[in-house]
Every structure is written in structure tokens, then in C-alpha cells.
Amino acid sequence: MLSLKKLLGKEDKFFDLLEAGAEAAKVSVDLFSRYLQQLAAGGSPAQLDDFIQTRRREKRIRHEMNEELSKTFVTPLEREDIEALSFALYRIPKQVEKIVERLSIYPGRVPHEAFKRQAELMAQAAEAVMFMVKQLRGGTHIEKIREANDRLQFAEGEADKVMLEQLKELYHGPYEAKELVILQELFEMVEQAVDRCRNAGNIVVQIVLKHS
């Protein structure tokens, strides 16, 4: 029979892994902001390896989470919720890595200011997600989660508006057809990264509502 101490230790392990996943997602978003700043300054941007390593770290966390789930009978949260949140967190750095890969091979002029506002909203969203995930360990009150989720939903809504403004400028700007298509895709990919954060936040809200 499993001892109470061992069960409590397992609970900590799941929360540790979820929090590590949220932190890795935030790191990838911070790297993206730094990447844009270095591009704007005309310097040498961060290497793609930095983004790849962050995504790999998130992947290792997911694998470890799956291993823990496979050998643990009692979990602090519902098994499917843990799996869903772990996967949602993994998708954030994966999306950021895709964006930077595309930017690194884009031959045209990168509109830094256009991406800057999106990066700021992405950072706000990732910060809210990290806060929400860390609240799960203590069985937080729903009010704290709702406040953080409001910030997250606001960032996601603003990201939609910013993308529409950027597309409007693209359609009316002096861009060649190929350049327009590439930039449009990049803007949409950045907005999707904010969506990834929103999805993770929605899962946290659902978990807290179940246990409130």
C-alpha cells in the first residue's frame, strides 16, 4: 500500500512538472522579444538553438509527465486534465520556434514595430498562464484565476485587433505579392502563439471550476 508521504510526493511532482512547463513557455516568449529587439538594433539575433532547446525542454517535461501518469494511480488532478494542460503548454514554445524559423529565412525587411506590439501581448499572455498554473498547487480561489484569465483574454483580444490592423497596412502598403503573403502568414503565426496561451489558460480555468 502506498504511504501518505509517497502520495503527497507524487502530487508535488505533477505540480512541479506543470510549473516547469509554464516557465519554459514563458522563457520561449521572452526569447522571442529579445530576438526582435536584436533584429531591430541591427545586431546578431539569438541563435535558433536557444528556441530549439527551450522547446526540447518542454518536450522532455511532457515525456516525464507521461511517465509519471503511467505509473501513478492517484493524481492530484484528473488525469485527462493534466495531460491536456501539459500538451497545451508544450504547444507554446513549439509555435514560437516556428515563428523564429520563418523570420530567420525571410529575405525581406522585417517590420519590427509591427511585431513588437504582438510580442508584448504574447508576453502578457504567457505571464498570465504561468501565474495561473502556479496557483493550482495551493488550490487557489477561483477569483484569482478569473482575474488572471481576464488579463489573458484581454491580451488575446488585443492580439486579434493588432493582427487586423497589421493586415490592413499590408493590403494598403507598398508590398509585393510574395512579400505580402509571407508577412501575413507571420503575423497570423504570432497571433496563434497568443491563442496557444489562451487555450492553456482555459484548461486551468476548467480544472479550478471542477475543484472549487
Side-chain angles (χ1 to χ4, degrees):
M1 182 178 292
L2 290 174
S3 68
L4 179 60
K5 183 177 180 181
K6 189 170 183 180
L7 282 174
L8 292 174
K10 286 290 184 180
E11 286 197 3
D12 285 340
K13 184 66 174 179
F14 287 114
F15 291 126
D16 288 344
L17 290 171
L18 288 173
E19 290 173 9
E23 288 170 359
K26 181 65 167 59
V27 166
S28 70
V29 172
D30 291 341
L31 281 172
F32 178 63
S33 296
R34 198 176 312 149
Y35 182 90
L36 290 177
Q37 290 171 3
Q38 292 168 335
L39 274 181
S44 178
Q47 298 296 315
L48 286 178
D49 285 348
D50 295 336
F51 296 92
I52 294 171
Q53 290 304 320
T54 302
R55 192 257 305 161
R56 286 178 178 171
R57 179 191 171 202
E58 189 79 71
K59 192 172 184 179
R60 287 194 297 270
I61 293 168
R62 278 202 70 225
H63 283 311
E64 190 174 351
M65 179 71 80
N66 290 335
E67 289 176 2
E68 290 295 331
L69 286 170
S70 68
K71 61 186 182 183
T72 304
F73 180 70
V74 178
T75 57
L77 305 170
E78 291 185 19
R79 197 170 293 265
E80 59 268 25
D81 289 336
I82 294 174
E83 292 174 340
L85 182 53
S86 179
F87 181 63
L89 293 171
Y90 166 72
R91 296 184 76 193
I92 298 170
K94 186 176 181 181
Q95 180 71 12
V96 173
E97 182 187 344
K98 285 182 179 179
I99 297 165
V100 178
E101 283 177 345
R102 297 294 179 86
L103 279 172
S104 69
I105 61 174
Y106 175 57
R109 179 183 61 83
V110 175
H112 306 104
E113 288 302 317
F115 284 108
K116 181 180 177 182
R117 178 54 179 159
Q118 282 188 313
E120 291 171 351
L121 292 167
M122 195 193 301
Q124 291 176 25
E127 183 71 38
V129 168
M130 188 168 69
F131 173 84
M132 293 169 75
V133 171
K134 288 187 174 182
Q135 293 301 305
L136 288 174
R137 186 188 295 266
T140 185
H141 296 296
I142 187 62
E143 288 77 13
K144 288 185 179 180
I145 291 295
R146 281 177 173 158
E147 288 174 3
N149 192 52
D150 285 345
R151 297 195 298 271
L152 178 53
Q153 297 297 331
F154 174 80
E156 194 273 335
E158 286 297 300
D160 284 340
K161 294 177 184 177
V162 170
M163 187 186 69
L164 286 176
E165 292 172 0
Q166 291 167 338
L167 293 180
K168 181 179 178 180
E169 291 180 8
L170 273 182
Y171 297 157
H172 293 84
Y175 297 97
E176 296 181 0
K178 182 175 74 171
E179 190 177 18
L180 188 149
V181 171
I182 294 172
L183 288 175
Q184 176 178 331
E185 183 179 22
L186 283 168
F187 290 145
E188 290 173 348
M189 289 176 70
V190 177
E191 194 275 335
Q192 286 167 6
V194 182
D195 286 346
R196 299 280 189 267
C197 294
R198 178 206 59 198
N199 293 341
N202 286 344
I203 295 171
V204 175
V205 171
Q206 292 168 10
I207 292 172
V208 173
L209 286 174
K210 285 182 183 180
H211 295 267
S212 62

